[in-house]
PDB file of all heavy atoms in Angstrom:
ATOM      1  N   ASP E  84     -52.494 -58.532  22.869  1.00 87.00           N
ATOM      2  CA  ASP E  84     -52.990 -58.669  21.602  1.00 87.00           C
ATOM      3  C   ASP E  84     -51.919 -58.339  20.594  1.00 87.00           C
ATOM      4  O   ASP E  84     -51.286 -57.255  20.824  1.00 87.00           O
ATOM      5  CB  ASP E  84     -54.271 -57.669  21.202  1.00 87.00           C
ATOM      6  CG  ASP E  84     -55.419 -58.013  22.059  1.00 87.00           C
ATOM      7  OD1 ASP E  84     -55.740 -59.216  22.275  1.00 87.00           O
ATOM      8  OD2 ASP E  84     -56.185 -57.104  22.480  1.00 87.00           O
ATOM      9  N   ALA E  85     -51.769 -59.138  19.626  1.00 89.00           N
ATOM     10  CA  ALA E  85     -50.720 -58.824  18.536  1.00 89.00           C
ATOM     11  C   ALA E  85     -51.365 -57.761  17.580  1.00 89.00           C
ATOM     12  O   ALA E  85     -52.431 -57.816  17.299  1.00 89.00           O
ATOM     13  CB  ALA E  85     -50.442 -60.083  17.823  1.00 89.00           C
ATOM     14  N   ILE E  86     -50.491 -56.772  17.382  1.00 93.00           N
ATOM     15  CA  ILE E  86     -50.882 -55.825  16.403  1.00 93.00           C
ATOM     16  C   ILE E  86     -50.369 -56.257  15.088  1.00 93.00           C
ATOM     17  O   ILE E  86     -51.042 -56.109  14.056  1.00 93.00           O
ATOM     18  CB  ILE E  86     -50.235 -54.385  16.814  1.00 93.00           C
ATOM     19  CG1 ILE E  86     -50.806 -53.941  18.170  1.00 93.00           C
ATOM     20  CG2 ILE E  86     -50.428 -53.390  15.714  1.00 93.00           C
ATOM     21  CD1 ILE E  86     -50.250 -52.660  18.717  1.00 93.00           C
ATOM     22  N   GLY E  87     -49.272 -56.662  14.949  1.00 94.00           N
ATOM     23  CA  GLY E  87     -48.600 -57.150  13.574  1.00 94.00           C
ATOM     24  C   GLY E  87     -47.123 -57.389  13.796  1.00 94.00           C
ATOM     25  O   GLY E  87     -46.571 -57.342  14.855  1.00 94.00           O
ATOM     26  N   LYS E  88     -46.664 -57.832  12.659  1.00 94.00           N
ATOM     27  CA  LYS E  88     -45.133 -58.279  12.606  1.00 94.00           C
ATOM     28  C   LYS E  88     -44.351 -57.640  11.470  1.00 94.00           C
ATOM     29  O   LYS E  88     -45.018 -57.121  10.490  1.00 94.00           O
ATOM     30  CB  LYS E  88     -45.136 -59.777  12.380  1.00 94.00           C
ATOM     31  CG  LYS E  88     -45.618 -60.556  13.611  1.00 94.00           C
ATOM     32  CD  LYS E  88     -45.132 -62.051  13.528  1.00 94.00           C
ATOM     33  CE  LYS E  88     -45.577 -62.681  14.831  1.00 94.00           C
ATOM     34  NZ  LYS E  88     -45.108 -63.936  15.146  1.00 94.00           N
ATOM     35  N   TYR E  90     -40.937 -59.077   9.379  1.00 93.00           N
ATOM     36  CA  TYR E  90     -39.863 -59.954   9.173  1.00 93.00           C
ATOM     37  C   TYR E  90     -38.729 -59.189   8.473  1.00 93.00           C
ATOM     38  O   TYR E  90     -38.981 -58.640   7.352  1.00 93.00           O
ATOM     39  CB  TYR E  90     -40.209 -61.177   8.413  1.00 93.00           C
ATOM     40  CG  TYR E  90     -41.305 -62.076   9.081  1.00 93.00           C
ATOM     41  CD1 TYR E  90     -42.634 -61.935   8.756  1.00 93.00           C
ATOM     42  CD2 TYR E  90     -40.741 -63.006   9.930  1.00 93.00           C
ATOM     43  CE1 TYR E  90     -43.625 -62.677   9.373  1.00 93.00           C
ATOM     44  CE2 TYR E  90     -41.788 -63.846  10.527  1.00 93.00           C
ATOM     45  CZ  TYR E  90     -43.122 -63.604  10.179  1.00 93.00           C
ATOM     46  OH  TYR E  90     -44.067 -64.536  10.927  1.00 93.00           O
ATOM     47  N   TYR E 112     -47.061 -55.530   9.715  1.00 95.00           N
ATOM     48  CA  TYR E 112     -48.119 -56.158   8.866  1.00 95.00           C
ATOM     49  C   TYR E 112     -48.753 -57.313   9.649  1.00 95.00           C
ATOM     50  O   TYR E 112     -48.091 -58.193  10.464  1.00 95.00           O
ATOM     51  CB  TYR E 112     -47.168 -56.742   7.594  1.00 95.00           C
ATOM     52  CG  TYR E 112     -48.146 -57.623   6.725  1.00 95.00           C
ATOM     53  CD1 TYR E 112     -48.988 -57.024   5.846  1.00 95.00           C
ATOM     54  CD2 TYR E 112     -47.974 -58.987   6.724  1.00 95.00           C
ATOM     55  CE1 TYR E 112     -49.792 -57.631   5.039  1.00 95.00           C
ATOM     56  CE2 TYR E 112     -48.822 -59.757   5.835  1.00 95.00           C
ATOM     57  CZ  TYR E 112     -49.668 -58.986   4.966  1.00 95.00           C
ATOM     58  OH  TYR E 112     -50.420 -59.715   4.181  1.00 95.00           O
ATOM     59  N   ASP E 113     -49.926 -57.376   9.423  1.00 94.00           N
ATOM     60  CA  ASP E 113     -50.780 -58.479  10.019  1.00 94.00           C
ATOM     61  C   ASP E 113     -51.517 -59.228   8.922  1.00 94.00           C
ATOM     62  O   ASP E 113     -51.961 -58.580   8.010  1.00 94.00           O
ATOM     63  CB  ASP E 113     -51.849 -57.964  11.001  1.00 94.00           C
ATOM     64  CG  ASP E 113     -52.670 -59.097  11.578  1.00 94.00           C
ATOM     65  OD1 ASP E 113     -52.013 -59.822  12.508  1.00 94.00           O
ATOM     66  OD2 ASP E 113     -53.855 -59.034  11.298  1.00 94.00           O
ATOM     67  N   THR E 114     -51.513 -60.515   9.051  1.00 93.00           N
ATOM     68  CA  THR E 114     -52.024 -61.308   7.933  1.00 93.00           C
ATOM     69  C   THR E 114     -53.498 -61.059   7.692  1.00 93.00           C
ATOM     70  O   THR E 114     -54.022 -61.473   6.670  1.00 93.00           O
ATOM     71  CB  THR E 114     -51.571 -62.751   7.813  1.00 93.00           C
ATOM     72  OG1 THR E 114     -52.062 -63.301   9.147  1.00 93.00           O
ATOM     73  CG2 THR E 114     -50.047 -63.101   7.864  1.00 93.00           C
ATOM     74  N   ILE E 115     -54.154 -60.779   8.774  1.00 93.00           N
ATOM     75  CA  ILE E 115     -55.605 -60.615   8.627  1.00 93.00           C
ATOM     76  C   ILE E 115     -55.977 -59.155   8.440  1.00 93.00           C
ATOM     77  O   ILE E 115     -56.865 -58.903   7.681  1.00 93.00           O
ATOM     78  CB  ILE E 115     -56.256 -61.100   9.999  1.00 93.00           C
ATOM     79  CG1 ILE E 115     -55.850 -62.491  10.370  1.00 93.00           C
ATOM     80  CG2 ILE E 115     -57.777 -60.841   9.946  1.00 93.00           C
ATOM     81  CD1 ILE E 115     -56.279 -63.505   9.433  1.00 93.00           C
ATOM     82  N   HIS E 116     -55.424 -58.192   9.057  1.00 92.00           N
ATOM     83  CA  HIS E 116     -55.607 -56.789   8.956  1.00 92.00           C
ATOM     84  C   HIS E 116     -54.797 -55.902   7.968  1.00 92.00           C
ATOM     85  O   HIS E 116     -55.176 -54.828   7.667  1.00 92.00           O
ATOM     86  CB  HIS E 116     -55.578 -56.117  10.273  1.00 92.00           C
ATOM     87  CG  HIS E 116     -56.635 -56.640  11.297  1.00 92.00           C
ATOM     88  ND1 HIS E 116     -56.236 -57.569  12.287  1.00 92.00           N
ATOM     89  CD2 HIS E 116     -57.976 -56.425  11.323  1.00 92.00           C
ATOM     90  CE1 HIS E 116     -57.392 -57.798  12.933  1.00 92.00           C
ATOM     91  NE2 HIS E 116     -58.321 -57.253  12.404  1.00 92.00           N
ATOM     92  N   GLY E 117     -53.656 -56.538   7.447  1.00 92.00           N
ATOM     93  CA  GLY E 117     -52.958 -55.761   6.615  1.00 92.00           C
ATOM     94  C   GLY E 117     -51.956 -54.822   7.318  1.00 92.00           C
ATOM     95  O   GLY E 117     -51.662 -55.177   8.464  1.00 92.00           O
ATOM     96  N   ARG E 119     -50.673 -52.148   9.684  1.00 93.00           N
ATOM     97  CA  ARG E 119     -51.265 -51.470  10.869  1.00 93.00           C
ATOM     98  C   ARG E 119     -50.222 -50.603  11.560  1.00 93.00           C
ATOM     99  O   ARG E 119     -49.485 -51.058  12.502  1.00 93.00           O
ATOM    100  CB  ARG E 119     -51.878 -52.460  11.871  1.00 93.00           C
ATOM    101  CG  ARG E 119     -52.745 -53.407  11.313  1.00 93.00           C
ATOM    102  CD  ARG E 119     -53.155 -54.530  12.293  1.00 93.00           C
ATOM    103  NE  ARG E 119     -54.313 -54.145  13.091  1.00 93.00           N
ATOM    104  CZ  ARG E 119     -54.722 -54.716  14.174  1.00 93.00           C
ATOM    105  NH1 ARG E 119     -53.975 -55.686  14.694  1.00 93.00           N
ATOM    106  NH2 ARG E 119     -55.864 -54.486  14.662  1.00 93.00           N
ATOM    107  N   ARG E 183     -55.357 -74.146  15.326  1.00 83.00           N
ATOM    108  CA  ARG E 183     -54.840 -72.838  15.514  1.00 83.00           C
ATOM    109  C   ARG E 183     -55.635 -71.846  14.658  1.00 83.00           C
ATOM    110  O   ARG E 183     -56.400 -72.146  13.695  1.00 83.00           O
ATOM    111  CB  ARG E 183     -53.401 -72.857  15.245  1.00 83.00           C
ATOM    112  CG  ARG E 183     -53.072 -73.016  13.674  1.00 83.00           C
ATOM    113  CD  ARG E 183     -51.574 -73.044  13.595  1.00 83.00           C
ATOM    114  NE  ARG E 183     -51.124 -73.584  12.287  1.00 83.00           N
ATOM    115  CZ  ARG E 183     -49.899 -73.909  11.999  1.00 83.00           C
ATOM    116  NH1 ARG E 183     -48.966 -73.683  12.902  1.00 83.00           N
ATOM    117  NH2 ARG E 183     -49.635 -74.409  10.897  1.00 83.00           N
ATOM    118  N   THR E 184     -55.485 -70.546  14.960  1.00 87.00           N
ATOM    119  CA  THR E 184     -56.158 -69.470  14.235  1.00 87.00           C
ATOM    120  C   THR E 184     -55.542 -69.374  12.874  1.00 87.00           C
ATOM    121  O   THR E 184     -54.418 -69.796  12.562  1.00 87.00           O
ATOM    122  CB  THR E 184     -55.968 -68.156  14.924  1.00 87.00           C
ATOM    123  OG1 THR E 184     -54.555 -67.836  15.051  1.00 87.00           O
ATOM    124  CG2 THR E 184     -56.511 -68.239  16.377  1.00 87.00           C
ATOM    125  N   PRO E 185     -56.311 -68.958  11.998  1.00 87.00           N
ATOM    126  CA  PRO E 185     -55.793 -68.543  10.547  1.00 87.00           C
ATOM    127  C   PRO E 185     -54.566 -67.675  10.764  1.00 87.00           C
ATOM    128  O   PRO E 185     -53.621 -67.777   9.960  1.00 87.00           O
ATOM    129  CB  PRO E 185     -56.933 -67.730   9.938  1.00 87.00           C
ATOM    130  CG  PRO E 185     -58.143 -68.073  10.542  1.00 87.00           C
ATOM    131  CD  PRO E 185     -57.805 -68.411  12.038  1.00 87.00           C
ATOM    132  N   ARG E 186     -54.494 -66.734  11.636  1.00 89.00           N
ATOM    133  CA  ARG E 186     -53.329 -65.764  11.728  1.00 89.00           C
ATOM    134  C   ARG E 186     -52.114 -66.651  12.147  1.00 89.00           C
ATOM    135  O   ARG E 186     -50.980 -66.618  11.503  1.00 89.00           O
ATOM    136  CB  ARG E 186     -53.623 -64.752  12.804  1.00 89.00           C
ATOM    137  CG  ARG E 186     -52.360 -63.867  13.048  1.00 89.00           C
ATOM    138  CD  ARG E 186     -52.551 -62.886  14.075  1.00 89.00           C
ATOM    139  NE  ARG E 186     -53.369 -61.744  13.676  1.00 89.00           N
ATOM    140  CZ  ARG E 186     -54.394 -61.422  14.143  1.00 89.00           C
ATOM    141  NH1 ARG E 186     -55.042 -62.064  15.271  1.00 89.00           N
ATOM    142  NH2 ARG E 186     -55.151 -60.336  13.690  1.00 89.00           N
ATOM    143  N   ALA E 187     -52.288 -67.502  13.038  1.00 90.00           N
ATOM    144  CA  ALA E 187     -51.103 -68.336  13.484  1.00 90.00           C
ATOM    145  C   ALA E 187     -50.572 -69.252  12.391  1.00 90.00           C
ATOM    146  O   ALA E 187     -49.421 -69.380  12.008  1.00 90.00           O
ATOM    147  CB  ALA E 187     -51.502 -69.175  14.733  1.00 90.00           C
ATOM    148  N   SER E 188     -51.611 -69.766  11.688  1.00 89.00           N
ATOM    149  CA  SER E 188     -51.226 -70.675  10.497  1.00 89.00           C
ATOM    150  C   SER E 188     -50.459 -69.766   9.345  1.00 89.00           C
ATOM    151  O   SER E 188     -49.520 -70.213   8.845  1.00 89.00           O
ATOM    152  CB  SER E 188     -52.493 -71.150   9.938  1.00 89.00           C
ATOM    153  OG  SER E 188     -52.372 -71.770   8.690  1.00 89.00           O
ATOM    154  N   ASN E 189     -50.993 -68.589   9.059  1.00 91.00           N
ATOM    155  CA  ASN E 189     -50.299 -67.817   8.124  1.00 91.00           C
ATOM    156  C   ASN E 189     -49.007 -67.556   8.522  1.00 91.00           C
ATOM    157  O   ASN E 189     -47.956 -67.453   7.741  1.00 91.00           O
ATOM    158  CB  ASN E 189     -51.165 -66.508   7.829  1.00 91.00           C
ATOM    159  CG  ASN E 189     -52.538 -66.782   7.173  1.00 91.00           C
ATOM    160  OD1 ASN E 189     -52.639 -67.917   6.587  1.00 91.00           O
ATOM    161  ND2 ASN E 189     -53.467 -65.920   7.311  1.00 91.00           N
ATOM    162  N   GLU E 190     -48.923 -67.051   9.758  1.00 91.00           N
ATOM    163  CA  GLU E 190     -47.599 -66.676  10.172  1.00 91.00           C
ATOM    164  C   GLU E 190     -46.592 -67.789  10.214  1.00 91.00           C
ATOM    165  O   GLU E 190     -45.459 -67.632   9.922  1.00 91.00           O
ATOM    166  CB  GLU E 190     -47.620 -66.011  11.559  1.00 91.00           C
ATOM    167  CG  GLU E 190     -48.277 -64.582  11.455  1.00 91.00           C
ATOM    168  CD  GLU E 190     -48.451 -63.987  12.912  1.00 91.00           C
ATOM    169  OE1 GLU E 190     -48.212 -64.603  13.837  1.00 91.00           O
ATOM    170  OE2 GLU E 190     -48.973 -62.871  12.785  1.00 91.00           O
ATOM    171  N   ALA E 191     -47.093 -69.010  10.558  1.00 90.00           N
ATOM    172  CA  ALA E 191     -46.088 -70.108  10.540  1.00 90.00           C
ATOM    173  C   ALA E 191     -45.618 -70.371   9.074  1.00 90.00           C
ATOM    174  O   ALA E 191     -44.376 -70.754   8.808  1.00 90.00           O
ATOM    175  CB  ALA E 191     -46.893 -71.405  10.974  1.00 90.00           C
ATOM    176  N   ARG E 192     -46.634 -70.173   8.134  1.00 90.00           N
ATOM    177  CA  ARG E 192     -46.261 -70.354   6.792  1.00 90.00           C
ATOM    178  C   ARG E 192     -45.174 -69.327   6.265  1.00 90.00           C
ATOM    179  O   ARG E 192     -44.245 -69.659   5.600  1.00 90.00           O
ATOM    180  CB  ARG E 192     -47.475 -70.253   5.899  1.00 90.00           C
ATOM    181  CG  ARG E 192     -47.798 -71.551   5.228  1.00 90.00           C
ATOM    182  CD  ARG E 192     -49.127 -71.317   4.571  1.00 90.00           C
ATOM    183  NE  ARG E 192     -49.136 -72.131   3.307  1.00 90.00           N
ATOM    184  CZ  ARG E 192     -50.160 -71.968   2.405  1.00 90.00           C
ATOM    185  NH1 ARG E 192     -51.107 -71.169   2.599  1.00 90.00           N
ATOM    186  NH2 ARG E 192     -50.042 -72.688   1.262  1.00 90.00           N
ATOM    187  N   GLN E 193     -45.505 -68.041   6.708  1.00 91.00           N
ATOM    188  CA  GLN E 193     -44.578 -67.098   6.198  1.00 91.00           C
ATOM    189  C   GLN E 193     -43.132 -67.263   6.702  1.00 91.00           C
ATOM    190  O   GLN E 193     -42.111 -67.051   5.993  1.00 91.00           O
ATOM    191  CB  GLN E 193     -45.030 -65.639   6.672  1.00 91.00           C
ATOM    192  CG  GLN E 193     -46.245 -65.095   5.858  1.00 91.00           C
ATOM    193  CD  GLN E 193     -46.507 -63.714   6.125  1.00 91.00           C
ATOM    194  OE1 GLN E 193     -47.154 -62.953   5.458  1.00 91.00           O
ATOM    195  NE2 GLN E 193     -45.979 -63.124   7.204  1.00 91.00           N
ATOM    196  N   GLU E 936     -55.192 -62.794   4.479  1.00 93.00           N
ATOM    197  CA  GLU E 936     -56.428 -63.400   4.458  1.00 93.00           C
ATOM    198  C   GLU E 936     -57.497 -62.440   5.080  1.00 93.00           C
ATOM    199  O   GLU E 936     -57.253 -61.600   5.812  1.00 93.00           O
ATOM    200  CB  GLU E 936     -56.169 -64.688   5.436  1.00 93.00           C
ATOM    201  CG  GLU E 936     -57.346 -65.538   5.471  1.00 93.00           C
ATOM    202  CD  GLU E 936     -57.058 -66.932   6.148  1.00 93.00           C
ATOM    203  OE1 GLU E 936     -55.772 -67.196   6.485  1.00 93.00           O
ATOM    204  OE2 GLU E 936     -58.015 -67.647   6.473  1.00 93.00           O
TER     205      GLU E 936
END
Side-chain angles (χ1 to χ4, degrees):
Chain E
D84 294 325
I86 295 173
K88 288 193 176 195
Y90 294 94
Y112 181 72
D113 179 69
T114 59
I115 306 293
H116 294 103
R119 307 173 95 190
R183 66 182 163 192
T184 62
R186 176 181 285 121
S188 162
N189 292 339
E190 284 174 0
R192 245 175 142 189
Q193 284 192 164
E936 187 165 348

